[in-house]
Amino acid sequence: MKKLTIVFAIIVASFASALSADAQLRFGLKAGVAINSLHFNESAFDADNRAGFTGGAMIEFTAPVVGVGVDASLMYVRRNAQFMEQNEIHKDNRDYIDIPVNLKWKMNLPLVNKIVRPMLFTGPSFSFLTSRRSAEEAWRNRKFDTSWNFGAGAELFSHLQIAASYSVGMTKTLKSIGATGSSNIEGHNRYWTVTAAYLF
């Protein structure tokens, strides 16, 4: 997965450089809801979906004819989690600075392009923990987390973008530190994000 992320970054950088002369460059503000769940390597752990929130700024490069481009965002994210171990409930609320970078394709619909354009996107997110590292006494959050996004949405009236994405954690985000009886229990993030962005 790390190699995949590096290759993706090289492709994005090359693609953005190639588009720089003709691409449309836009900035915007983005906010939304993040619905998070933890996926453990032990079947004895059961996690619930918990809602958090996100907000920040984004930048977008798009080739005007083909509709293919790149976007990147700088987001503050609150990811809430709740999971059960042996009938004991653990809560873990984490704050991150999140940097998603996506390849994006906006579909051209000749008659309605100015009103609505469907879009697909995919790419990695790089998350930096800004809240406390310990989740209660038995768990520790990692300082850095990487996930991969798959999303779809629509651009309305050439300015408002509504999108939903599902992200799969590629690195371990949570690890037991002994009180659970095992130091090998680890959790990965799995989360849905629904956002609205206004681009100027």
Side-chain angles (χ1 to χ4, degrees):
M1 283 297 188
K2 290 182 179 179
K3 291 181 179 179
L4 177 62
T5 303
I6 294 171
V7 170
F8 181 85
I10 294 171
I11 292 172
V12 168
S14 302
F15 186 75
S17 299
L19 289 179
S20 58
D22 299 319
Q24 298 173 349
L25 172 63
R26 299 195 296 170
F27 298 89
L29 299 176
K30 183 162 66 172
V33 177
I35 302 171
N36 187 64
S37 180
L38 288 169
H39 179 77
F40 288 94
N41 61 343
E42 291 281 348
S43 59
F45 289 77
D46 184 23
D48 294 329
N49 292 329
R50 307 292 290 181
F53 58 88
T54 183
M58 68 175 290
I59 184 173
E60 179 188 81
F61 295 89
T62 307
V65 177
V66 296
V68 178
V70 179
D71 74 31
S73 303
L74 181 64
M75 308 292 291
Y76 169 83
V77 184
R78 162 63 64 92
R79 292 190 184 128
N80 297 325
Q82 178 174 296
F83 56 96
M84 183 173 291
E85 175 216 358
Q86 297 178 352
N87 297 322
E88 182 179 356
I89 296 176
H90 297 271
K91 294 183 178 181
D92 183 23
N93 302 324
R94 289 158 289 147
D95 299 322
Y96 291 91
I97 296 298
D98 193 44
I99 305 175
V101 181
N102 294 303
L103 282 175
K104 179 186 287 183
W105 175 41
K106 295 181 188 176
M107 304 173 198
N108 284 311
L109 305 177
L111 299 178
V112 295
N113 257 3
K114 296 292 184 180
I115 300 173
V116 59
R117 292 184 72 181
M119 59 187 186
L120 300 173
F121 57 91
T122 187
S125 285
F126 308 99
S127 302
F128 301 87
L129 184 71
T130 60
S131 58
R132 60 193 176 92
R133 289 197 66 191
S134 295
E136 302 184 357
E137 296 182 354
W139 301 89
R140 175 162 295 172
N141 291 309
R142 300 294 180 95
K143 291 183 178 180
F144 178 73
D145 186 26
T146 306
S147 57
W148 197 274
N149 311 314
F150 303 90
E155 182 175 88
L156 307 176
F157 306 106
S158 301
H159 290 284
L160 180 64
Q161 293 186 1
I162 307 297
S165 63
Y166 183 69
S167 302
V168 180
M170 297 191 296
T171 55
K172 302 158 188 169
T173 188
L174 185 71
K175 183 177 181 179
S176 65
I177 53 178
T180 60
S182 174
S183 60
N184 297 319
I185 302 172
E186 297 163 336
H188 293 72
N189 276 324
R190 301 283 192 275
Y191 55 93
W192 286 95
T193 306
V194 179
T195 58
Y198 189 86
L199 299 178
F200 301 97

